[in-house]
Amino acid sequence: MAGLLFVISGPSGVGKSTLRKEVMNRCSGLKYSVSCTTRPPRPGEVEGVDYYFVTPEAFEEMKERGEFIEWAKVHGNYYGTPRRPIEEWWREGFDVILEIDVQGALQVKKSCPEGIFIFIAPPSLRALEERLRKRNTDPEDEILLRMTNANLEMAHIKDYNYLVVNDDFEEAVQRLCAIIIAERCRIRER
C-alpha cells in the first residue's frame, strides 16, 4: 500500500519544526522530507537535517528540471521540497510528513489532493510576534514581514483538513499524533 502524505504548515514562528520533531519521535513509520532553501543557515542548523542549503542558481536549475513537488519564494528566499525521496518512500509504503509554508502547501494540494493538510496556528497573532522576537534570529524588518505574511496565511485555514492551535505544546503534539493515527485507520477507496 502506498504511504500517506501529511502536510504541516502555518505561519513562521508557530512551532512547526518543534512539533514535527516530537511527533516523529512518537509516531513510527514517518519519513520527513528535508526541503531546499536559498537562505543562509541559522545557528545550529545542519545541512541535510534541517535544510539543504543551495545557491539561488542551483535552486533555479532544480526548479527548471522539475525536481520539486512544490516551491515558493518566502520572506525573500526560495524554499522547495524535492520530489524524488517522497516518491521512493511512498513506493516503500512509508508515510511522508512535509513541514512547509502555506504557499507550498497550497501547491502540494493541487498536485496531491489526497494529502492530509494540517494548519498549525498560534493562540493569537500577539503570541506569534512574541515567539518571533524571543527567537532572536531575525532583524526587525524581517519580523514585521513575517507578521504581515502571518495575517495573510491565517486566511487559508479553510483550505486545510485539520487545525491545531499550538498554545499548549503537549496538547498540540497529542492532537497531531491523533490525526496521524486516525488517518492511518481510515478506510480508503482503492
Side-chain angles (χ1 to χ4, degrees):
M1 183 169 112
L4 300 174
L5 177 65
F6 294 97
V7 179
I8 295 176
S9 67
S12 176
V14 78
K16 296 181 298 287
S17 296
T18 308
L19 288 168
R20 189 242 334 136
K21 288 173 185 173
E22 186 58 28
V23 164
M24 291 191 68
N25 285 335
R26 297 186 193 187
C27 296
S28 63
L30 285 172
K31 295 285 189 177
Y32 169 59
S33 178
V34 177
S35 296
C36 295
T37 185
T38 59
R39 78 159 170 74
R42 291 184 181 134
E45 288 184 326
V46 178
E47 171 75 21
V49 173
D50 298 293
Y51 285 99
Y52 294 110
F53 298 98
V54 299
T55 64
E57 297 78 19
F59 193 96
E60 281 294 329
E61 290 171 12
M62 294 170 76
K63 190 173 73 169
E64 288 175 19
R65 289 191 302 263
E67 293 181 23
F68 296 118
I69 193 169
E70 63 81 27
W71 65 269
K73 189 171 188 178
V74 182
H75 311 300
N77 295 296
Y78 285 104
Y79 294 82
T81 304
R83 177 184 311 276
R84 193 179 74 222
I86 293 170
E87 291 172 348
E88 289 172 6
W89 290 328
W90 279 340
R91 281 192 298 275
E92 295 169 6
F94 286 101
D95 296 334
V96 176
I97 190 165
L98 303 183
E99 173 199 319
I100 56 179
D101 62 86
V102 172
Q103 290 180 59
L106 297 175
Q107 283 184 44
V108 172
K109 191 166 188 181
K110 288 179 185 174
S111 61
C112 299
E114 69 282 359
I116 297 102
F117 294 83
I118 307 163
F119 193 93
I120 309 297
S124 69
L125 288 173
R126 177 174 290 175
L128 179 65
E129 184 174 359
E130 288 173 11
R131 288 179 188 175
L132 288 171
R133 291 187 184 288
K134 285 180 184 174
R135 282 197 321 197
N136 277 333
T137 59
D138 302 307
E140 183 64 21
D141 60 334
E142 184 76 15
I143 290 172
L144 295 175
L145 176 61
R146 289 177 189 275
M147 289 306 300
T148 298
N149 288 341
N151 278 303
L152 298 171
E153 291 166 336
M154 295 292 283
H156 288 283
I157 289 173
K158 66 186 181 333
D159 298 316
Y160 288 74
N161 305 108
Y162 297 96
L163 170 64
V164 173
V165 176
N166 188 12
D167 188 8
D168 177 271
F169 179 74
E170 182 58 31
E171 184 176 315
V173 169
Q174 288 177 12
R175 287 176 186 253
L176 281 169
C177 289
I179 292 166
I180 291 167
I181 292 166
E183 287 293 335
R184 286 175 168 173
C185 294
R186 185 178 3 167
I187 298 170
R188 290 175 167 74
E189 291 186 31
R190 307 227 188 266

